[in-house]
Amino acid sequence: MSVDERLVQTIVQKVMANMQITGEVTGMHGVFKDMNDAIAASIEAQKKVRLMTLDQREKIISVIREKVHRNAELLANMGVNETGMGNVGDKILKHHLTAEKTPGTEDISTIAWSGDRGLTLVEMGPFGVIGAITPATNPSETVICNCIGMLAGGNTVVFNPHPNAKKTTIFTINMINEASLEAGGPDNIAVTVEEPTLDSSAVMMKHPAIHLLVATGGPGVVTAVLSSGKRAIGAGAGNPPVLVDETADLRKAAQDIINGCTFDNNLPCIAEKEIVAVDSIADELMHYIIAENGGYLADKEVIQRLADTVLTPKGTLNRQCVGRSAKDLLAMVGVEAGADVRCIVFEGEKEHPLISEELMMPILGMVRVKDFHEGVETALWLEHGNRHSAHIHSKNVDHITEYAKALDTAILVKNGPSYAALGFGGEGYCTFTIASRTGEGLTSAQTFTKRRRCTMSDSLCIR
Ligand code: NAD
C-alpha cells in the first residue's frame, strides 16, 4: 500500500467510524431522521430551484463534477468498505466517468413549430420533487448520476438508498448539497434519511408531493414503484449474455469479455454474465481467455463447491459473495489462486444455476451452441426477458442485426467490452440508471422532465 493509499484508507475509516459512533449523522446536509421531514425540505428546495436559470443549475452541476473528481478515491473506498463489494480501482474510474460524462442542462432541449398560425414550443419542464431508490452495487455512482440529471431537469430529489450503503450515500448527498451552497444554490437539493427502510420507502412512494419515482435495483423494487399508482421509471435487473460467432476476432473478444466481466468485480448490471459461443470457435475463445486474460478454468468439483457457496439452498444469491474478486471466491472454496487470476470460467448447460442466475461476481460460464441461430435462441433464453443488455462479437452485419432485433435490449455492445455502453471507451454519455423495464433506456436529464406545450396563436412567427 502506498503512502497515498494509506492516507485515503485512514480518512475513510475516520469518516465511517464517526458515523458509527454518533449513531446518527448530524451536521450532514440533506440528512433527516424522518422521511416526511426530508420530503418537506425537498419541497422547500424545489421552490428555489424552480426559480433558477439554466445557467445557475449548470453552475451547481459543475461544482458537483469538481467535487466528484476530487473525492473519487474516497467515495470508491467508502463504497467498497461499507458494502464489501467491488474493487477500489474500478470504482475510482466509475466516479470520474460520472463526473465527466453525465449530461447536464445541455440535455434539455426545445422542439418548435412556427408558421402562419403562430409559434408552438414543446419544452422540458421539471416534475418537481422526485423519489429515487438506489442500489448497493453502485451506491454513490447512482446518486451522482441521478442528482446531476434531475437537477439539470429542474428537480430536487429524495433518496431512499439501500440500507447496506447508507453511509456512502449520506456522504455523497452531503457533498452534493455542499456543491449547491458553494455555487450559490439552496441546501437540500438532494435529501435522505439516516435509516432508510422499506417503511421510509413506502412513505416516499405514497407522498402526494412526489409525482415521479425512479427505482434502480432488482425486480422487487421495480415492481414496487410500478405498483405505486404514480409515474415510475424502472431500472431493473439484467443477465447480459455475450454471443461470439465464427466471424469474431477471438483474441480481442476474449480480452473485451474478461475486461467487461471483471470491471468492478462484475457489479454493473450491464456486465457480461455468461458467454454463448459457437462450437467451431468455442475452444479457441476459451484458450485466449485462459492463456492471455487471467481466466481460471474451474473443474466440475470446484464449480459444484462454488454453486453451493454463492447460492443459498433456496437458489437465491449469497450476498457475501456478490461483487467479490475471483481470487476471494476461489479462496472461499479452498482454492488458492495466483494474483493473475481475474475470472472463473467453465463450460456448462444454459440451465446451470451459475449461468442462468444474475450472479454479479466474476464467474463466467460458457454455453456451447452448434451455430449462430441456436446462439440467438440461447442468449434470448438467458436474458430472461429483462430486455436490459446483451453483447455480441461478430464481423457479420446480418448476424449482429438479427441478434439485436431478437434480444431487443436497452443496451447492445458490438465488438467491445460492456462498459463501452456507459461511455467508458465508447461514444455516448454515462448513467448508472438504465431504465430497462420501462423503456427509457439510459436515463439523462431529459428523462426526468415532462413535456409541456406552449402555443402562441397567430403571432411570433417572423419568417
Ligand atoms: P436490490 O433490489 O436488493 O435493492 C435495490 C434498492 O431497492 C435498495 O435501495 C433496496 O433497499 C430497495 N428495495 C428492494 N426491494 C424493495 C421493495 N419491495 N420496496 C422498496 N424498496 C425496495 O438490488 P441491489 O442488490 O442493491 O442491486 C443489484 C440489482 O440491481 C441487480 O439486479 C442489478 O441488475 C440491478 N441494477 C440495475 C441497474 C439498472 O440501471 N438497470 C443498475 C444497478 C443495479
Side-chain angles (χ1 to χ4, degrees):
M1 211 188 259
S2 71
V3 176
D4 281 354
E5 281 167 339
R6 267 203 299 274
L7 185 64
V8 171
Q9 274 299 337
T10 312
I11 295 169
V12 170
Q13 274 153 16
K14 272 194 183 153
V15 173
M16 304 290 250
N18 194 31
M19 288 183 175
Q20 243 159 27
I21 290 163
T22 58
E24 56 182 43
V25 278
T26 45
M28 291 285 199
H29 293 277
V31 185
F32 295 81
K33 271 199 190 318
D34 183 81
M35 179 53 90
N36 281 305
D37 292 342
I39 296 170
S42 188
I43 293 168
E44 283 310 304
Q46 166 57 203
K47 287 178 192 161
K48 294 174 188 149
V49 169
R50 192 168 276 264
L51 298 177
M52 280 165 44
T53 61
L54 284 172
D55 189 45
Q56 284 169 321
R57 290 183 212 165
E58 196 54 43
K59 274 197 183 110
I60 300 175
I61 291 167
S62 49
V63 182
I64 295 174
R65 293 188 201 281
E66 268 170 40
K67 282 188 182 288
V68 174
H69 278 310
R70 223 177 314 128
N71 289 290
E73 212 173 324
L74 186 61
L75 288 163
N77 272 284
M78 285 187 84
V80 172
N81 262 322
E82 186 177 16
T83 65
M85 301 191 286
N87 73 67
V88 172
D90 290 341
K91 278 202 191 294
I92 292 173
L93 295 174
K94 284 164 82 181
H95 283 86
H96 288 306
L97 182 68
T98 60
E100 262 161 43
K101 288 204 155 180
T102 307
T105 52
E106 74 283 3
D107 199 46
I108 309 292
S109 56
T110 300
I111 301 167
W113 295 270
S114 76
D116 296 346
R117 299 308 309 269
L119 172 69
T120 291
L121 305 175
V122 175
E123 292 194 311
M124 297 178 180
F127 271 90
V129 180
I130 297 177
I133 301 174
T134 49
T137 45
N138 317 304
S140 40
E141 302 92 313
T142 310
V143 167
I144 292 161
C145 285
N146 281 184
C147 280
I148 292 177
M150 289 171 186
L151 175 67
N155 307 281
T156 53
V157 49
V158 181
F159 285 101
N160 201 77
H162 197 293
N164 294 352
K166 65 183 177 195
K167 290 179 185 171
T168 308
T169 306
I170 282 171
F171 185 86
T172 311
I173 286 174
N174 178 62
M175 186 187 76
I176 299 277
N177 286 310
E178 283 181 348
S180 177
L181 291 166
E182 272 177 41
D187 201 357
N188 299 321
I189 58 169
V191 296
T192 190
V193 284
E194 284 172 13
E195 295 296 339
T197 59
L198 286 182
D199 287 344
S200 59
S201 177
V203 171
M204 186 181 87
M205 284 195 231
K206 288 193 192 112
H207 198 287
I210 293 182
H211 301 293
L212 174 65
L213 295 167
V214 180
T216 310
V221 65
V222 173
T223 301
V225 294
L226 291 179
S227 318
S228 67
K230 295 188 174 183
R231 167 85 199 278
I233 294 173
N239 190 39
V242 51
L243 175 57
V244 187
D245 78 5
E246 63 282 4
T247 68
D249 176 341
L250 297 178
R251 195 169 208 156
K252 180 175 183 305
Q255 188 182 35
D256 288 345
I257 291 169
I258 298 303
N259 283 346
C261 171
T262 57
F263 189 59
D264 205 14
N265 295 346
N266 198 246
L267 285 180
C269 52
I270 62 160
E272 293 83 349
K273 298 282 190 287
E274 60 277 336
I275 301 173
V276 178
V278 170
D279 182 40
S280 58
I281 51 88
D283 291 334
E284 196 179 340
L285 180 70
M286 192 59 109
H287 162 77
Y288 286 127
I289 287 175
I290 297 163
E292 297 183 2
N293 293 285
Y296 174 92
L297 184 61
D299 61 25
K300 273 204 167 104
E301 203 189 309
V302 170
I303 284 301
Q304 188 55 52
R305 290 209 298 271
L306 278 168
D308 293 342
T309 305
V310 308
L311 296 168
T312 67
K314 283 187 181 160
T316 55
L317 278 183
N318 173 359
R319 301 289 304 197
Q320 301 302 316
C321 300
V322 173
R324 302 292 292 270
S325 69
K327 205 165 175 294
D328 285 354
L329 293 167
L330 285 169
M332 286 180 200
V333 296
V335 176
E336 200 182 319
D340 56 334
V341 166
R342 299 170 65 203
C343 190
I344 301 162
V345 289
F346 71 104
E347 191 175 327
E349 299 297 316
K350 69 179 189 310
E351 294 82 5
H352 193 290
L354 294 187
I355 295 179
S356 63
E357 288 298 316
E358 184 200 23
L359 296 179
M360 295 181 284
M361 56 191 87
I363 298 177
L364 195 59
M366 185 176 85
V367 182
R368 191 183 289 258
V369 289
K370 70 174 186 313
D371 57 20
F372 170 76
H373 298 287
E374 190 183 311
V376 175
E377 289 306 310
T378 306
L380 192 57
W381 186 88
L382 284 164
E383 216 272 322
H384 305 310
N386 292 319
R387 304 280 194 271
H388 189 299
S389 298
H391 314 300
I392 183 168
H393 289 266
S394 171
K395 294 278 171 70
N396 182 326
V397 175
D398 293 339
H399 279 185
I400 296 175
T401 309
E402 186 178 330
Y403 185 68
K405 283 188 178 168
L407 272 288
D408 191 21
T409 44
I411 286 179
L412 188 112
V413 176
K414 309 149 204 58
N415 301 328
S418 51
Y419 48 67
L422 301 183
F424 190 60
E427 291 301 326
Y429 63 89
C430 164
T431 178
F432 281 92
T433 295
I434 296 132
S436 42
R437 278 259 301 267
T438 48
E440 293 83 356
L442 285 90
T443 57
S444 63
Q446 56 176 283
T447 320
F448 308 122
T449 59
K450 56 187 182 191
R451 305 290 183 271
R452 296 188 311 192
R453 182 178 279 215
C454 184
T455 299
M456 168 62 84
S457 183
D458 294 330
S459 299
L460 284 183
C461 171
I462 51 170
R463 285 197 285 185

